Amino acid sequence: MAAPSLSRGALSARRVLGGPGQGRAQARGCSTETPPAGPPHTGETPGSPAWDPPERARLRGREQRLRRQRLRRERDEEGAAGQEPRPLPKGWRPGEELEYRHPLEPGGKKATPSPLPPRYSPRYVEAAWYQWWERGGVFTPPEQSPGGAPVLSLVLPPPNVTGTLHLGHALSVTLQDVLARWRRMQGWDVLWVPGTDHAGIATQAVVERWLWQHRGLRPQQLGRAEFLQEIWRWKERHGDEILQQLRALGASLDWSRCTFTMDPGYSRAVTEAFVRLFRAGLIRRDQRCVTWSCALRSALADIEVEPRVLTGPTTLNVPNCPHPVTFGLLVTFAYPVEGDDGLELPVATTRPETIFGDVAVAVHPRDPRYLHLQGRQVRHPFSGALLPVVSDPSVEPQRGTGAVKVTPGHSPQDLALARAHRLPLPCVIRDDGTLCPPGGGWLQAVTSGRLRLVPKFHEKNWKTWMENVGDWCLSRQLCWGHQVPAFQVRGGPAAPSPRGGPGGPEGPEGPWFVGSSEAEVRGAAATALGCPQEELHLEQDPDVLDTWFSSALFPFAALGWPEQSPDLRRFYPTSVLVTGGDLLFFWVARMVLLGQELTGQVPFQQVLLHSLVWDSQGRKMSKSLGNVIDPRDVIGGATLQELQEKLQSRTLDPRELQTAQEGQRRQFPQGIPECGADALRLALSTHNAHGPEIRLGVASVLTQRRFCNKVWNGVGFVLRALEGEKGTPKPPEEVFPSSPLERWLLSRLAGAVAESCRRLESLQLQGAAAAVQSFWLRSFCDVYLEVAKVSLQSPELRPAVLATLVAAAELGLRLLAPFAPFVAEELWQRLPRPHPAPPSICRAPFPDPQKLAGWRSAELEAQVAAMLELVRAVRGLRETFRLGGAARPPVLLQLPDPARDWLEPLGAAFQTLSGAGPVRLLPPGAGPGPGWAGAPAPSGTFVYLRIQGLVEPGAARAQLGARRISLERRLRSLPGTAPHAQAALVRAELARLEQALQALETPGDPPGDPPGDPLSPPRTP
């Protein structure tokens, strides 16, 4: 039986992997490989076209890299075994979630006129919005774009239809959705195509396991047709789960274009692609070594397995084998040399079972031990066949006995050597690992392409892989998938395969033909063989195509290719692809190659290859560790019992299930708290997706839930301040207040908008998210709202403050919407907006940095930043002396002369934020006198706080002394390798304590007016 693949010129024979007595063992996607028999060799003489050194170097480098990854994973598993149960994440108080119980408005919209709940609850906020967006067609681009709007088109990397999304998928979905929502709000025509992949190997394996566990049946007992029906029934039962996960994440996909890779239209595209590539000479039938799974009885792609080099005898567990098997055991035996001189040729091997497939023994042409044997023959001890002794410079004389048995059917190196010496190519191991006669395979070759990759360091890996790309075996010996559209003539007239036919071995019963349908093939075969069509008996190749072949067509097949559909003309090539860095060669490279070959265009303009998501302990997500998390369990929360029950519903191996459940008990002893989709999206967005990995734990998602709560409370304050106000607000861009703090807030907002847009343009989403959060936390909530609470009580200041609050909140929510769409929509719907307003924030215009440029004031931002440094200094003194929030001590500021001019307009804000009483300016060079504690601030300023009458000296002295002793002990305990900044912080705190103790030692003056001039009149609370 043969297998199709794309080839650059090398042919192949099947390689069998796994099973007792073989040189590799497959364990759920991981293969184990023993060292080659005797001295390793390239398998090809130098200069031979069938084997090139770069390919050998590429395979060796990949083998070493995968070995390092395996060792790291084993260390993770060992560490997990002794791990203590993790405590409940701080901040989770179960049973506090609110639910939305109001009737929906016509069209399914939430009733936002209802009172705003007093606290943020993801369950309340995220209810009903997605269904309303989807029902309203928010995610579908207009059929015709007025004014020629720019286009953003992207396809969702199709997940396995019978699987479930994990947090790695959630990262990819979040990054794509942020880009889609941002461009949609900018007025672009956005098409984001969803879809699922039939996942041939994974799906068939799951259904096979389910049939055995629940019905005690094997696929062979059902037959191909009935087994396929079982898979389709499984798909109908479970295929919708991923789509619901995507909706729960808030993915703004155009569901009207959802594609499944086994849909009739998509299947036609796969067949058309195969036929075109075949007719272009890129697909042919031939023999080649392939990676083989005895459990699946199918070929696998080389990059889908992990070669494991054994340095000695190693006992491993093999799937479906009741006892461990020892691999890597070196066995030496001797071939008798033909003749009457009694000579023997010793050979060492770790794969003695392949002796039945030996066709020669190879030695180095200059090895003096075997010069007399070159050109002679040895006799096979079992078959009695005579095998030649061949000389090849690739053999390393210093390794083993210096003689290498050549088994081309089960070693790619041996295959290349056998072809170089024109030796036969037998295969002696069956699909299930037992001994058998030889077999065959289908092949295909790959071309290269160029493309912008983000981050840029992937370009080097891309270039190296493309320059050393090997053959791609296209066939899989499965039932589930796209059947190879190749037919063999069985019976009837015999004739050589016509040009344009499959080529390669015809087989004993007739040539092969390829076409889009059996009728097309029958007509072509009849013409080529010169016989009536009705005399031909055709048999289609039972193999199916590699899933990566069909998924590589997704960017254009999902848009209607091979037809020149309106979607294909309008949205292809797509704009950007977002996927994990581990899929660069599995999927991205193949999409580029097939896209160029079949459409003449690169399928996307740029690729964002994001990090892999690991758990908070730096371990890769693994079923065996129990740390693979369904995003919905983070969004909605899950008890430990629910997590365990979900594992039991999966068709996992019993040992794997037990390990995963134990991992869950350790990591989530009290379950996972409800965090919400917005918090999960923010946690994923704020990590650097351009690095090697993202360490994500539930605690970091809870931190983002608290951020959502901060936004909720901030906008809630604005809404309460607006109660009783009438009239429609001006467009935010038309608000130009005169007071400095209002102007500062809008300047900060304009800066956040500019930074966010700049970062999004360059696909640096973590920088954009940081700019958004910095505005909401450090500018709006922590600074401006605190001052506004006082300013709103002034009739003169109130109008400007309200206008600024509404403008900043409304624009800030639009800025936040791509990252946290649910809470942004919920709050935005409740804010007053100028007419006409779009129905949803999804269609509201994203803030334009050019329109807000008039708000920018670098000078004012620097002045407020300096004022906030003074606030921090005062707060530090308050903390040192443990002054309560009700205390309003007098404050003295000693400033350079230029600072006095800009600080006076900000005096009221300073007083409010620092919790100060009267604030006065101390002349340069003057001292505050007794009863004051001081602290330096940046830019040559000094802050003094009056402590007389606010602290009891004796108690304060004891408390400060105890803290000083603790800090000194901590400083001494710091290791010599501790960061300099860490020690500097401790020393700075010690210096502040010394100043505080000195202030307590100085007797105070009787109460009276503090020295200096008043900065501003005291604020009325």
Side-chain angles (χ1 to χ4, degrees), residues 3-19:
S5 76
L6 274 171
S7 168
R8 291 191 310 165
L11 306 180
S12 71
R14 174 171 301 161
R15 174 170 54 196
V16 180
L17 299 185

Side-chain angles (χ1 to χ4, degrees), residues 16 22-23 34 37 349-355 405 410-411 429:
V16 180
Q22 290 182 249
T34 60
T349 180
T350 57
R351 300 189 63 186
E353 77 282 0
T354 62
I355 188 175
K405 62 191 289 292
H410 306 286
S411 165
I429 300 179

Side-chain angles (χ1 to χ4, degrees), residues 368-683:
R369 295 172 293 176
Y370 305 124
L371 288 175
H372 64 294
L373 295 180
Q374 294 182 22
R376 295 188 65 175
Q377 294 178 313
V378 297
R379 184 170 295 278
H380 197 285
F382 294 102
S383 68
L386 293 176
L387 311 180
V389 178
V390 299
S391 61
D392 194 286
S394 64
V395 178
E396 299 181 26
Q398 68 276 17
R399 300 287 299 274
T401 66
V404 179
K405 62 191 289 292
V406 181
T407 315
H410 306 286
S411 165
Q413 294 86 358
D414 289 6
L415 173 63
L417 190 149
R419 285 209 163 126
H421 293 274
R422 302 181 182 277
L423 299 171
L425 311 175
C427 178
V428 296
I429 300 179
R430 288 194 182 93
D431 297 349
D432 60 357
T434 58
L435 295 175
C436 76
W442 269 100
L443 300 171
Q444 178 172 356
V446 195
T447 58
S448 101
R450 300 179 62 189
L451 171 75
R452 178 173 175 251
L453 303 179
V454 180
K456 193 175 178 62
F457 67 79
H458 286 291
E459 293 181 0
K460 180 179 179 182
N461 297 334
W462 174 274
K463 182 175 183 294
T464 301
W465 192 82
M466 283 297 187
E467 289 176 348
N468 299 284
V469 66
D471 295 343
W472 175 12
C473 178
L474 290 184
S475 71
R476 298 293 180 267
Q477 290 64 48
L478 306 170
C479 298
W480 178 243
H482 301 98
Q483 197 167 349
V484 175
F487 297 78
Q488 187 176 30
V489 177
R490 296 285 188 176
S497 181
R499 181 168 181 81
E506 297 178 7
E509 299 190 38
W512 288 84
F513 295 87
V514 168
S516 299
S517 65
E518 182 176 347
E520 178 185 326
V521 169
R522 184 173 297 276
T527 301
L529 300 177
C531 67
Q533 295 187 21
E534 56 271 14
E535 293 184 9
L536 296 176
H537 174 64
L538 301 179
E539 184 174 306
Q540 187 172 0
D541 192 311
D543 292 354
V544 299
L545 294 171
D546 181 10
T547 299
W548 293 111
F549 179 80
S550 56
S551 62
L553 311 177
F554 199 80
F556 45 95
L559 297 175
W561 186 91
E563 305 298 329
Q564 286 299 312
S565 65
D567 277 358
L568 190 67
R569 290 193 296 268
R570 183 180 177 191
F571 296 109
Y572 185 82
T574 60
S575 310
V576 61
L577 175 75
V578 180
T579 189
D582 57 332
L583 294 183
L584 178 60
F585 307 123
F586 276 107
W587 191 43
V588 178
R590 290 164 173 175
M591 283 190 288
V592 171
L593 303 182
L594 294 186
Q596 286 182 311
E597 180 65 30
L598 296 171
T599 70
Q601 295 176 292
V602 176
F604 21 74
Q605 300 166 17
Q606 54 185 345
V607 181
L608 172 57
L609 295 155
H610 61 70
S611 316
L612 300 181
V613 177
W614 292 5
D615 68 12
S616 58
Q617 302 171 58
R619 301 176 304 171
K620 196 172 181 179
M621 299 291 183
S622 168
K623 292 179 181 177
S624 62
L625 296 177
N627 60 357
V628 176
I629 302 174
D630 184 337
R632 291 175 299 181
D633 293 335
V634 180
I635 293 170
T639 64
L640 176 60
Q641 181 180 353
E642 290 170 338
L643 295 174
Q644 302 267 286
E645 290 174 351
K646 183 174 292 188
L647 274 179
Q648 292 173 354
S649 68
R650 306 293 180 195
T651 55
L652 298 178
D653 178 82
R655 288 182 297 181
E656 188 178 65
L657 174 62
Q658 182 179 359
T659 305
Q661 288 180 326
E662 181 60 30
Q664 282 186 343
R665 283 191 288 269
R666 288 196 183 99
Q667 192 167 9
F668 311 112
Q670 300 184 48
I672 299 176
E674 179 177 331
C675 299
D678 285 333
L680 177 58
R681 291 166 61 103
L682 286 165

Side-chain angles (χ1 to χ4, degrees), residues 25 108 154 196 270 328 369 446 536 560 633 677 737 762 787 790 800 850 913 930 938 956 974 980 984:
L154 61 167
T196 51
V270 173
R369 295 172 293 176
V446 195
L536 296 176
D633 293 335
S762 60
V787 178
V790 177
Q850 294 182 349
L913 294 170
L974 286 176
H980 175 74

Side-chain angles (χ1 to χ4, degrees), residues 67-83 614 617-620 625:
R67 180 175 179 269
R68 291 193 298 269
Q69 295 174 354
R70 176 182 57 79
L71 292 174
R72 183 168 61 243
R73 185 173 62 250
E74 289 176 352
R75 287 195 300 269
D76 292 342
E77 292 172 352
E78 291 172 1
Q83 182 186 1
W614 292 5
Q617 302 171 58
R619 301 176 304 171
K620 196 172 181 179
L625 296 177

